[in-house]
Amino acid sequence: MEIGILDIIGSLPLFEDFGNLPTKIIDEKNYKEIKNLDALIIPGGSLVESKSLNDDIKKEIINFDGYIIGICSGFQILSKKIDIGRKSSVPIFREGLNLLDVEFYPLVCTDRVEFKLKKSIFGEGIGRGFHCHTYGDVRIVDKETKILTVSKVKKLNYKLGGEKEIISGAFKGKVFGTMVHNFLDNEFVRENFLNHLGVKKDEKEEIFEKNKIIKEELKRRALKYRLNPELTKNEIKKDNKKRGIVLLATSSNSGKTFLTTALSAKLNGRVFVAKIGGDVRDIVPALYLLREKMTKYNSIKIGERGWVDVSEFLDYVKNSNYDYIIVEGVMGAFTAALKNLSSYQIAKKLGFPVYVVSPCNISGIEGAFVEAVAYYSLLKDIGIKVEGIILNKVYDWKIFDKLKSLAKKHNIKLYGVGKVADEGRGLIPEVEIDYESFCRNAFNVDLNIDIPEIEINNNINDEDYNFIERLDSWIRNIMLKNK
Ligand SMILES: NC(=O)CC[C@H](N)C(=O)O
């Protein structure tokens, strides 16, 4: 039994376990072997956005007569066409392989879901998994293609609504696709599939053995190691310390995702990235680069958005063997503070040191610095350990240097990250993202910040946050000085 997993530019072959079924890596070099497989799994990623499939690979997949299982991006490329024109006034269609009579349109969903599996070679029943996509409006356009999965979702396009059922998967003949990550990790799904393939107990063990070996190989091929070959040898634990930070911004669109990715690219050690709130799409580039799995611990709840609460998160990272924990905030640090739904409140509960990220493209470098200093001071007042400021999208280093000297005089650590020369569509997370290009750009960033040791004691200080009072006393102090 040989089950292939596609490992090409833009794919996420370790984003989930795929039931531990893959036994063979199929890449840009050995794609001719697809025809010898019993089944091919096409993982998620940015296969459409990265234009990952060349004509030769396309041909092999189209002519393959075994089972094809596409997950998320892997499902999208099996379709007729995908409109990736999110935030565009006209659709931007990309052609799929036309193996399923399905069309895709923009619909953001990042929920953990329960899905109903319709009768198929995977059996039928209720399973669990998660959604993490931008183009998730699945429209079946021909009767020959049937519904495979229906997911229960609560949040679509960022809006929390009531619970709703949406079509999340389709199949026709031996071609299957679903938007549900962890689909094959549902034991009944995997067992039914193996039974259908006629796999007996011994052979199943063999599959799992081979799977362990190829997973190690896939990890070695992570973009992080391809970019930093020296880390392949050195990446051993130096000490038992855990280091970590939270990136809090002065606004949304500050480039936190880019910085999280940039940090993940160069750190020498095991890196765990997490997102405050539900938008796990933001940490996928880092997971792409590191070739780490998406788990429920990668998203910290804020109100009803997100996957695990702070205490569950802290327990998990405390008992993990990660060396670095990088947490990305959502929106600005104080957005929704009066509803007790802001990133700074989560950062405070975590107790990790914070960097203030301030983008220079709206109020200029000077304005960005002023805003960042205000945030810095208020966060400190609130009792958060602020480690420094990162000005992002710096366009003039002379101006930056002047501010840096000033910051130094006041003992504030100030870092700058230059503007990315050409921010094409594929480099804007909210619009369209090509993981390979985004991560390569992030790797080129020169950002050498201190990541302090953290103490995780999980005695969460559940004080009743009264933001207005905090703000009041902070303003009073400023006004006093001005008198
Ligand atoms: N997780 C994924 O595979 C994402 C698929 C695709 N890039 C989307 O955003 O819709």
Side-chain angles (χ1 to χ4, degrees), residues 12 15 44-46 49 71-73 76 132-135 181 435:
L12 292 161
F15 199 55
S46 59
E49 302 91 322
I71 310 284
C72 203
S73 195
Q76 291 169 342
C132 174
H133 51 247
T134 306
Y135 319 105
H181 294 281
Y435 296 138

Side-chain angles (χ1 to χ4, degrees), residues 228-464:
N228 303 284
E230 77 285 1
L231 290 188
T232 327
K233 290 169 228 97
N234 304 339
E235 212 165 53
I236 31 166
K237 273 182 95 62
K238 290 177 289 290
D239 51 31
N240 267 324
K241 294 189 176 132
K242 289 204 185 309
R243 295 176 169 81
I245 50 163
V246 183
L247 295 180
L248 294 184
T250 54
S251 69
S252 56
N253 263 319
S254 63
K256 290 186 294 294
T257 298
F258 189 62
L259 300 182
T260 303
T261 313
L263 290 171
S264 311
K266 299 222 181 97
L267 289 172
N268 183 0
R270 294 199 51 183
V271 181
F272 187 79
V273 287
K275 175 77 186 176
I276 298 182
D279 202 355
V280 283
R281 291 174 310 151
D282 282 351
I283 55 165
V284 180
L287 296 178
Y288 175 82
L289 192 120
L290 301 166
R291 286 222 158 150
E292 285 275 309
K293 245 197 273 200
M294 177 75 89
T295 71
K296 64 177 181 174
Y297 304 103
N298 292 84
S299 154
I300 305 171
K301 256 196 192 150
I302 182 163
E304 281 180 77
R305 292 154 195 268
W307 295 351
V308 298
D309 57 31
V310 171
S311 129
E312 228 182 312
F313 171 82
L314 287 175
D315 272 342
Y316 175 77
V317 292
K318 187 174 179 172
N319 298 316
S320 72
N321 59 356
Y322 289 101
D323 305 299
Y324 293 97
I325 322 288
I326 314 284
V327 180
E328 181 181 327
V330 55
M331 316 279 285
F334 300 109
T335 310
L338 287 177
K339 294 187 188 156
N340 283 337
L341 295 175
S342 74
S343 291
Y344 94 82
Q345 287 155 331
I346 300 294
K348 176 133 200 226
K349 284 191 183 179
L350 288 169
F352 295 4
V354 160
Y355 276 94
V356 176
V357 178
S358 187
C360 304
N361 57 322
I362 296 170
S363 12
I365 304 178
E366 304 86 339
F369 179 70
V370 174
E371 284 161 46
V373 172
Y375 273 56
Y376 187 105
S377 140
L378 178 54
L379 287 168
K380 276 208 142 164
D381 244 31
I382 288 172
I384 287 176
K385 188 167 174 273
V386 190
E387 196 53 37
I389 293 173
I390 306 172
L391 295 187
N392 195 16
K393 312 183 194 183
V394 170
Y395 50 83
D396 183 327
W397 291 101
K398 276 202 194 109
I399 298 179
F400 175 80
D401 285 340
K402 281 188 191 151
L403 296 172
K404 188 166 169 115
S405 319
L406 180 65
K408 199 169 169 201
K409 196 169 127 194
H410 295 281
N411 251 322
I412 299 174
K413 285 190 217 159
L414 181 70
Y415 302 89
V417 170
K419 204 168 157 249
V420 175
D422 167 33
E423 233 191 23
R425 271 189 66 95
L427 295 177
I428 309 171
E430 264 310 286
V431 176
E432 178 190 331
I433 182 154
D434 159 4
Y435 296 138
E436 181 82 12
S437 317
F438 187 84
C439 292
R440 282 182 183 272
N441 265 315
F443 172 77
N444 288 328
V445 165
D446 191 15
L447 179 61
N448 250 317
I449 61 172
D450 292 325
I451 303 197
E453 194 183 336
I454 45 174
E455 217 185 291
I456 306 174
N457 49 29
N458 208 351
N459 292 328
I460 298 166
N461 169 7
D462 238 337
E463 67 177 271
D464 184 17

Side-chain angles (χ1 to χ4, degrees), residues 33-91:
E33 292 182 41
I34 290 178
K35 59 170 94 51
N36 306 325
L37 300 170
D38 298 278
L40 173 67
I41 297 171
I42 310 180
S46 59
L47 303 179
V48 178
E49 302 91 322
S50 305
K51 301 197 177 97
S52 307
L53 284 96
N54 62 40
D55 288 345
D56 295 331
I57 303 183
K58 279 186 189 160
K59 218 161 79 202
E60 285 301 318
I61 298 178
I62 290 171
N63 294 329
F64 178 50
D65 64 2
Y67 292 95
I68 301 179
I69 305 162
I71 310 284
C72 203
S73 195
F75 174 24
Q76 291 169 342
I77 59 149
L78 299 172
S79 74
K80 282 182 178 300
K81 58 180 184 181
I82 311 97
D83 171 11
I84 56 167
R86 189 174 134 70
K87 298 209 167 165
S88 153
S89 55
V90 288

Side-chain angles (χ1 to χ4, degrees), residues 6 23 25 110 128 137 145 147 173 184 251 336 354:
L6 204 60
T23 59
I25 304 174
T110 55
R128 284 192 172 71
D137 177 359
T145 294
I147 296 178
L184 289 165
S251 69
V354 160

